[in-house]
Amino acid sequence: MPESSPAAFAWCFDHGWLHPLPTLCTAVAGTNAEEALAAKRERFGEAAFLYQLPSEQQLEVIDRQAETHKR
């Protein structure tokens, strides 16, 4: 995502859908809903919830969330 285009939507693995930003859910984000959904599908496939991901990807999402919340 270009730096000049701030994210407006993010996929939420807790709720299984897109949230408009600002939100604590930032597994993948996009400047619009279509972009965020495409980024989620490219990176995580059709998984809607965290438990549907392989263990390695679950840890990746959890670690990213932890880093995001430290800021």
Side-chain angles (χ1 to χ4, degrees), residues 42-53:
E42 181 179 325
R43 191 165 176 189
F44 300 111
E46 293 300 315
F49 298 97
L50 191 63
Y51 74 87
Q52 295 172 320
L53 296 173

Side-chain angles (χ1 to χ4, degrees), residues 5-50:
S5 301
F9 288 87
W11 185 263
C12 175
F13 280 109
D14 288 336
H15 301 115
W17 64 69
L18 290 170
H19 284 294
L21 294 177
T23 181
L24 298 177
C25 309
T26 57
V28 290
T31 57
N32 58 51
E34 293 81 16
E35 185 181 294
L37 186 56
K40 193 282 294 182
R41 285 186 176 144
E42 181 179 325
R43 191 165 176 189
F44 300 111
E46 293 300 315
F49 298 97
L50 191 63

